[in-house]
Amino acid sequence: MEELIRTNDMVMISFVEALLKDAGIEHLVVDQNMSVMEGSLGVLPRRILVVEEDIAEARQLLIDAGVGGELRPEGA
C-alpha cells in the first residue's frame, strides 16, 4: 500500500474517505489509535493508504476534487 495523504484534519480524512469509497477505491486509515498514546491532542497525523494499483486513480480523484495540495509527494 502507498500513502495518499497524511493529515491531522479529521474533516479532510472524512472527505477523502468518502471520495475513495464512492469511487470504489479500497483504502485504509492508519494511526487512528495513536491518539491513545498522545492523549487525544490530535498532534500525530493520520495516514490514508491505497493499494499500489489504485494510487494513480486516487491521486487524480483528489486533484479533481480540489484537494490535490494534500497529496503526499509521489514515491515518498
Side-chain angles (χ1 to χ4, degrees), residues 4-5 15-27 50 54-68 71:
L4 185 63
I5 69 166
F15 179 63
V16 171
E17 279 192 288
L19 288 172
L20 295 172
K21 182 178 178 185
D22 288 348
I25 298 173
E26 290 190 42
H27 61 282
V50 175
D54 294 334
I55 194 73
E57 181 183 358
R59 291 178 67 83
Q60 189 61 52
L61 182 66
L62 268 60
I63 291 168
D64 293 345
V67 292
L71 290 168

Side-chain angles (χ1 to χ4, degrees), residues 35-62:
S35 63
V36 171
M37 301 286 288
E38 63 169 301
S40 300
L41 296 174
V43 175
L44 298 174
R46 280 69 169 171
R47 297 177 292 150
I48 296 183
L49 307 178
V50 175
V51 293
E52 192 173 332
E53 297 84 41
D54 294 334
I55 194 73
E57 181 183 358
R59 291 178 67 83
Q60 189 61 52
L61 182 66
L62 268 60

